[in-house]
């Protein structure tokens, strides 16, 4: 199968998954006690039975379940995730507004984790019983065992309370004067602690992974052949071993994406980062069901996209997969 | 989550403050004020949306008819003068000359009539303009409000964000005012500042309206309202000087910390008019033991108000002994305070036949809370009421609507609650006790299902007379009866504070806090 | 049917006795794993025996709020209501561990069932079940369980189910691949051609042999379920009537800047527990899968 065909198949399958996700989300929200009318009524300071009936009619909540579901799915098909009564804004707009902050957090922390993690992994693999190797083992245990909000809080205690170097939260300073560069610096300054917190979990994972796959590749036949051919050790190391350990790294990074998003929700809560996680938490607290469903759907959508991209990247990196 | 009724807001008359501060320097024109608001406004039009989030920018964008000063006295704003008829059945408003909306169109009595109609039809606080049966507009600058009965709360309801004067030529286009596009974009206001930019969860930026009707005002060029939900973040930004002003600050730990800072003024003046009172509400018709007044009194004796004030509120709040805010002229502190007395509480329950079981409990009750800041107080009830043999289960509601639904459909024993007085008891107090306000599904109605004919009578009388002394006497009797029958046990007023940097001149520390026009605020 | 099974059974029997001893000795040679086990035992003792010695009700307000650890005789200090954090760590640990175990059990039950059927039957059933698994993999785990807990109310049951439901997919994958491998083995093939029922084969013959990697996975699951519960509590989605480590964190969270210890201590307890569990898990993994040891 050519790459195009595979892509088409994956995309088609992804669409089916998305519809299933929509149905599940919608069913769950409908089955749960309370509905949008309750939220609107609560927000208005209460409403009696007639007003409730009116609201239900306006939002189509009085229709049979399947009709509502159909209305929702067909709206989503046109990228309309509904209207948030709480924010008075279309859900799609809301999500797109918050998306950059979350993407910035997720990608910067992933880049940090992958670069530092790979670096540590490579150093560890060079001396499998050395100091760095031990550190990697220790780090990976820490990364797995430490609750992400706890690492965040420890960082806050250290760098906000005791040594006030970093801001306690938010994405930018109160005064937003200055040019693009000043703003970028300001955001980076606010980004630092949340980024490090989120990266700490994955840093461990990637360093351990790189170390393991490097060791495996270094022990394999063709590296031995390469060595036997008299290639310089460094070249063997970086050209062959490192390149071959990229595959597992991409796979894991792709697979972990959903977990990274979960981590981001918590980190956003710790540091008040104004992203999708914060939006999700706020809409859960307000039971803003259109927004809740929108975010759930959008997250699944992103995971599916990342899965497809991972798959394609893997095939490009490693031609062997293509044949299998 | 305390959006809504929890957030009433109004006007600061900085002039009064100026007079009382002999050291005050000449106000300077210019500069940008950076202040905080605590949540993203749904939109910026207070005529159809309550809440401080909307009120703080909203009172800059829209002027009201009156301002209120420290002594609860009305002062001119868009209304140059006003007159209440002898019989209390009509109020004549004379508008100031030359006032214009931000698009240059003159503000007329038509707009006043339209604004009152819009507020009456759309604002959640129905009692504000309920007795207004008609608004006559004999000429461009005169509006006459016709009332069905004397309405003592009317002047207050014409101030601040309760009555924003909105342009008829914009909002009168037939669209639903609650979702009108001009509520958050291209806002055409009547106030001292106009909208530059509103970015959800980020900021509201305002700049001086050059055509503002008060000459020489506002002093500030710009106001940047940063939306910062987290109290700790605001605290740090205030300490660093990044933020110059923040109102409605109530987190005790942060207040204690801010008070120590020499660059900051921390003031609790003014919020009495808003009157946020926290209490433990009882479902007087519950099937559980809490429907017995003796049980409620025993609980009141078991709850240690001092512990709440000192340990949980860190001394930032005093006691509230009745459902009327301690700062209100109608507050009566002579009611039964139910001091902590566990022995007495236990004896009351023993005598009433609620025998202590072998496991140290008599019976179980639930306590609810509706939003996260109320959780500690609900959690406190569990170990505390255990001491008199009541096994309390704390019921959490993951979201506000779930709580509101439970409470407003009377599916509860006890709940922590926070209800606002609205300056005048007619607006914010009566609804909690009036027997014809027991309405299924309506939160902050009489969710205690309390009914007492004498109480209804007292409220009806106090609500239809303009004589302050008579009202005071009526409300005193009212508070005595409530304290005796305990449909709810009042605990403390929310300790709202205004925190400002000392570089801010005429900081709004008069009665209405930061939801007042900041036209007289300047930077030193 | 038992007649036909007789020849097949001794084999797994033999496999599981002497390797057990070998496994134990291998595990004991792994110092990190032993350290993890010792730590885990210490935590279990602290949590279950501790309350017998330190008899304080974790809900009782015993002293001034936020007494610093070590002061006034409170080893770990008091929380915002003046409740003893040491008592909360002990009693709360029981709940956290119980939730961890129960949620892991839920995910193992779902995961093993799905994986076993998929691996055993293959074909369309496998295809469908694995698509089903994939479907759950694209759900945003934390967000999804937050929504479940919020919608249906925070109780031990909803929290446990919410965690279990979103975390079984890894178990299903492991189980399936083990089943795929084992079902091809001779003794299974022999039994299949006989009259043994499918369910008997799945749960009595193949499953016991597929257990080692599942055990390792389940062990990890316990750790991540504890973390999960803590994260939900941190976000305010926990039952305030039940003391758990997460609950202590959630209720003291607003006071991080003034009294970070009330959040840092339960966080540390969770860290130690999950660390111990994962060390033991690593040891188990190495002992059960000798081939993978050098990883």
């Amino acid at each position: 199968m050519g790459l195009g065909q595979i892509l088409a198949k994956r995309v088609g399958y992804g669409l089916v998954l998305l519809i299933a996700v929509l149905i599940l989300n919608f069913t769950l929200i409908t089955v749960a006690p309370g509905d949008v009318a309750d939220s609107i009524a609560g927000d208005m300071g209460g409403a009696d039975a007639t007003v409730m009936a009116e609201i239900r009619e306006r939002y189509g909540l009085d229709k049979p379940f399947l009709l509502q579901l159909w209305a929702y799915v067909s709206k989503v098909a046109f990228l309309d995730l509904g209207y948030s009564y709480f924010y008075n804004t279309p859900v799609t707009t809301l999500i797109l507004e918050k998306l950059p902050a979350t993407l910035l957090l997720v990608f910067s922390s992933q880049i940090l984790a992958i670069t530092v993690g790979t670096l540590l992994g490579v150093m560890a693999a060079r001396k499998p019983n050395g100091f760095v190797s031990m550190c990697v083992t220790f780090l990976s245990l820490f990364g797995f065992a430490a609750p992400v909000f706890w690492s965040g809080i420890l960082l806050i205690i250290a760098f906000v309370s005791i040594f006030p170097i970093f801001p306690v939260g938010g994405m930018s300073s109160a005064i937003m004067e200055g040019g693009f560069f000043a703003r970028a610096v300001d955001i980076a300054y606010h980004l630092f602690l949340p980024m490090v917190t989120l990266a700490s979990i994955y840093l461990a994972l990637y360093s351990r992974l790189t170390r393991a796959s490097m060791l495996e590749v270094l022990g394999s036949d063709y590296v031995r052949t390469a060595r036997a051919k008299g290639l310089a050790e460094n070249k063997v190391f970086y050209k062959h071993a490192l390149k071959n350990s990229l595959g597992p790294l991409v796979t894991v990074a792709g697979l972990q994406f959903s977990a990274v998003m979960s981590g981001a929700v918590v980190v956003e809560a710790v540091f008040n980062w104004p992203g999708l996680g914060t939006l999700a938490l706020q809409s859960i607290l307000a039971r803003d069901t259109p927004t809740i469903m929108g975010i759930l759907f959008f997250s699944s959508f992103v995971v599916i996209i990342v899965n497809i991209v991972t798959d394609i990247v893997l095939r490009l990196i490693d031609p062997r997969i293509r044949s299998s | 989550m305390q959006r809504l009724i929890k957030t009433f807001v109004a006007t600061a008359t900085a002039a009064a403050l100026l007079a009382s501060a002999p050291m005050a320097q000449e106000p300077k024109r210019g500069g940008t004020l950076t202040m905080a608001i605590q949540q993203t406004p749904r939109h910026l039009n207070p005529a159809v949306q309550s809440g401080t989030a909307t009120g703080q920018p909203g009172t800059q964008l829209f002027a009201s008819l009156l301002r209120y000063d420290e002594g609860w006295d009305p002062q001119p704003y868009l209304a140059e003068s006003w007159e209440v008829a002898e019989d209390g059945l009509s109020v004549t408003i004379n508008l100031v000359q030359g006032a214009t909306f931000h698009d240059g169109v003159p503000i007329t009595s038509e707009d006043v009539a339209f604004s009152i109609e819009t507020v009456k039809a759309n604002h959640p606080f129905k009692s504000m303009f309920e007795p207004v049966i008609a608004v006559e507009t004999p000429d461009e600058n005169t509006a006459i409000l016709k009332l069905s009965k004397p309405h003592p709360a009317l002047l207050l309801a014409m101030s601040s964000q309760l009555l924003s004067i909105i342009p008829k030529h914009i909002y009168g286009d037939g669209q639903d005012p609650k979702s009108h596009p001009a509520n958050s974009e291209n806002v055409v206001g009547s106030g001292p500042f106009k909208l530059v930019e509103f970015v959800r969860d980020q900021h509201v930026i305002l700049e001086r309206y050059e055509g503002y009707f008060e000459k020489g005002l506002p002093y500030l060029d710009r106001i940047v309202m940063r939306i910062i939900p987290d109290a700790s973040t605001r605290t740090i930004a205030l300490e660093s000087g990044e933020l110059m002003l923040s109102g409605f600050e109530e987190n005790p730990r942060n207040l204690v910390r801010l008070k120590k800072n020499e660059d900051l003024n921390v003031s609790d003046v003014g919020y009495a008019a808003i009157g946020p009172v926290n209490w433990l509400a009882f479902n007087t018709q519950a099937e559980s033991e809490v429907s017995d007044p003796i049980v409620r009194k025993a609980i009141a004796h078991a709850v240690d108000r001092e512990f709440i004030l000192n340990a949980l509120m860190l001394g930032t709040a005093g006691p509230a002994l009745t459902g009327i805010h301690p700062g209100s002229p109608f507050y009566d502190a002579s009611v039964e305070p139910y001091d902590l007395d566990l022995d007495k509480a236990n004896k009351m329950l023993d005598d009433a036949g609620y025998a202590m079981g072998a496991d140290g409990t008599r019976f179980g009750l639930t306590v609810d809370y509706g939003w996260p800041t109320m959780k500690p107080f609900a959690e406190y009830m569990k170990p505390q009421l255990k001491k008199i043999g009541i096994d309390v289960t704390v019921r959490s509601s993951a979201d506000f609507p779930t709580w509101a639904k439970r409470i407003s459909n009377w599916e509860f024993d006890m709940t922590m609650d926070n209800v606002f007085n609205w300056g005048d008891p007619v607006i914010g107090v009566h609804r909690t006790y009036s027997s014809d306000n027991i309405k299924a599904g309506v939160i902050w109605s009489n969710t205690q299902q309390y009914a007492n004919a004498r109480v209804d009578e007292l409220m009806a009388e106090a609500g239809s007379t303009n004589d302050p002394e008579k009202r005071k006497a009526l409300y005193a009797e009212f508070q005595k009866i409530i304290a005796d029958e305990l449909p709810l046990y009042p605990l403390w007023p929310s300790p709202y504070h205004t925190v400002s940097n000392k570089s801010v001149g005429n900081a709004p520390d008069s009665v209405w806090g930061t939801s007042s026009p900041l036209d007289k605020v300047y930077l030193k | 049917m038992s007649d036909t099974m007789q020849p097949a059974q001794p084999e797994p029997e033999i496999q599981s006795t002497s390797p057990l001893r070998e496994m134990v000795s291998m595990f004991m040679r792994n110092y990190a794993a032993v350290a993890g086990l010792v730590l885990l035992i210490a935590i279990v003792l602290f949590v279950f025996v501790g309350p017998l010695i330190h008899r304080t009700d974790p809900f009782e307000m015993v002293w001034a709020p936020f007494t610093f650890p070590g002061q006034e005789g409170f080893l770990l200090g008091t929380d915002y209501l003046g409740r003893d954090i040491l008592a909360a760590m002990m009693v709360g640990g029981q709940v956290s561990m119980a939730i961890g175990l129960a949620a892991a059990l839920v995910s193992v039950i779902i995961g093993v069932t799905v994986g076993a059927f998929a691996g055993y039957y293959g074909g369309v059933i496998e295809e469908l079940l694995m698509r089903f698994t994939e479907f759950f993999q694209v759900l945003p785990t934390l967000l999804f369980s937050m929504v479940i807990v919020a919608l249906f109310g925070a109780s031990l049951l909803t929290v446990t189910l919410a965690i279990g439901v979103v975390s079984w997919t890894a178990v299903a994958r492991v189980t399936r691949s083990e089943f795929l491998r084992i079902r091809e083995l001779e003794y299974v093939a022999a039994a299949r051609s006989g009259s043994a029922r499918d369910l008997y084969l799945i749960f009595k013959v193949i499953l016991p042999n597929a257990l080692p990697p599942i055990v390792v996975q389940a062990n990890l699951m316990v750790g991540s379920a504890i973390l999960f519960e803590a994260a939900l509590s941190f976000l305010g989605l926990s039952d305030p009537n039940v003391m758990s480590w997460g609950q202590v964190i959630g209720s003291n969270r607003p006071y991080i800047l003034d009294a970070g210890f009330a959040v840092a201590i339960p966080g540390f307890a969770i860290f130690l527990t999950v660390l111990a569990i994962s060390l033991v898990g690593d040891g188990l993994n190495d002992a059960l899968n000798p081939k993978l040891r050098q990883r």
Side-chain angles (χ1 to χ4, degrees), chain A residues 28 39 101 134 147 187 236 314:
Chain A
L28 201 69
S39 333
M134 253 172 60
I187 290 177
V236 170
L314 273 180

Side-chain angles (χ1 to χ4, degrees), chain C residues 172-231:
Chain C
R173 292 190 167 270
V174 169
T175 311
R176 169 177 161 268
S177 64
E178 278 302 290
F179 266 64
L180 283 178
R181 184 178 64 79
I182 295 172
R183 75 166 182 193
E184 301 304 330
L185 297 180
E186 255 175 58
Y187 67 96
V188 181
R192 283 185 110 178
S193 61
S195 62
R197 285 213 208 117
D198 287 352
L199 283 183
Y200 181 85
L201 278 172
I202 291 174
F203 291 109
K204 284 279 158 83
V205 180
I206 307 183
L207 188 58
N209 290 288
L211 272 183
I214 298 176
V215 167
V216 171
Q217 191 63 42
N219 178 65
L220 292 178
M221 225 81 268
V222 177
S224 62
I226 291 176
L227 288 175
F228 221 111
E229 190 267 338

Side-chain angles (χ1 to χ4, degrees), chain B residues 172-190:
Chain B
D173 62 0
Q175 295 190 63
D176 181 358
K178 280 187 192 151
S179 54
H180 200 285
N183 286 346
S184 22
E185 276 175 5
N186 304 316
V187 176
V188 178
S190 47

Side-chain angles (χ1 to χ4, degrees), chain B residues 406-428:
Chain B
R406 272 181 181 170
I407 304 307
S408 64
N409 289 298
W410 317 306
E411 293 154 5
F412 74 105
D413 292 332
M414 309 185 280
T415 183
M416 288 306 303
D417 203 350
N418 173 322
V419 179
F420 282 44
N421 270 197
W422 299 100
D424 195 284
V426 170
I427 306 178

Side-chain angles (χ1 to χ4, degrees), chain B residues 373-427:
Chain B
T373 49
M374 278 295 187
K375 191 180 173 198
F377 307 100
E379 280 187 340
Y380 163 77
M381 298 300 162
K382 189 181 174 75
Q384 188 62 21
L385 297 187
K386 185 97 201 291
K387 294 175 184 169
I388 57 167
I390 300 177
D391 181 27
V392 173
T393 304
V394 182
R395 286 202 306 183
S396 60
S397 305
D399 49 42
F400 174 79
T402 308
W403 174 80
K405 197 180 176 193
R406 272 181 181 170
I407 304 307
S408 64
N409 289 298
W410 317 306
E411 293 154 5
F412 74 105
D413 292 332
M414 309 185 280
T415 183
M416 288 306 303
D417 203 350
N418 173 322
V419 179
F420 282 44
N421 270 197
W422 299 100
D424 195 284
V426 170
I427 306 178

Side-chain angles (χ1 to χ4, degrees), chain A residues 87-233:
Chain A
Y87 287 96
N88 254 316
T89 313
V91 173
T92 317
T93 314
L94 266 181
I95 290 179
L96 292 179
E97 266 178 24
K98 301 294 173 185
L99 185 62
T102 299
L103 287 184
L104 179 64
L105 176 63
V106 165
F107 281 110
S108 64
S109 68
Q110 286 294 291
I111 290 168
L112 180 72
I114 289 176
T115 42
V116 179
T118 315
L119 206 73
L120 282 176
V122 169
M123 284 161 72
R126 294 208 84 155
K127 284 182 188 153
N129 295 314
F131 176 71
V132 179
S133 194
M134 253 172 60
C135 288
V136 166
T137 312
F138 180 78
L139 254 181
S140 68
L141 285 171
F142 182 88
F144 177 73
V148 58
F149 59 85
W150 183 65
S151 338
I153 287 168
L154 291 186
L155 285 177
I156 288 183
I157 292 173
F159 296 111
V160 178
S161 280
I162 301 175
F163 304 106
I165 305 173
F166 285 104
V168 67
M171 191 170 161
S172 54
S173 303
I175 297 172
M176 278 163 307
E177 278 151 13
F180 174 79
F181 183 72
R183 282 193 188 203
V185 169
D186 185 50
I187 290 177
Y189 172 60
H190 283 78
L191 177 64
F192 188 78
L193 287 186
M195 175 181 75
V196 170
T197 309
L198 189 55
S200 69
I201 322 171
Y202 299 99
L203 179 91
L205 183 74
Y206 295 135
S207 61
R208 195 179 179 184
L209 190 76
T210 309
R211 173 174 166 266
S213 58
M214 292 276 294
L215 286 176
E216 193 174 294
V217 175
L218 285 174
S220 70
D221 287 344
Y222 85 102
V223 169
R224 267 187 236 129
T225 321
R227 274 182 179 149
K229 278 189 195 159
L231 277 179
E233 187 66 12

Side-chain angles (χ1 to χ4, degrees), chain B residues 230 232-233 235-236 251 253-254 257 307 311-312 369 375-377 379-384 386-387 392-396 398-399 402, chain C residues 57 59-61 63-66 80-83 149-151 153-154 233 236-241 247 250-251 254-255 257-259:
Chain B
D230 183 68
S232 305
T233 310
T235 302
I236 287 173
N251 179 300
R253 279 175 195 278
N254 292 331
R257 185 168 160 164
F307 178 85
L312 298 181
Y369 63 94
K375 191 180 173 198
F377 307 100
E379 280 187 340
Y380 163 77
M381 298 300 162
K382 189 181 174 75
Q384 188 62 21
K386 185 97 201 291
K387 294 175 184 169
V392 173
T393 304
V394 182
R395 286 202 306 183
S396 60
D399 49 42
T402 308
Chain C
D57 178 354
F59 282 104
E60 198 189 334
M61 296 175 294
W63 205 253
F66 291 131
Y80 78 101
L81 279 179
R83 301 179 295 193
V149 175
L151 289 180
S233 303
L237 298 161
S238 65
D239 182 351
N241 297 293
Q247 170 63 23
S251 60
Y255 315 102
L257 285 182
D258 307 276

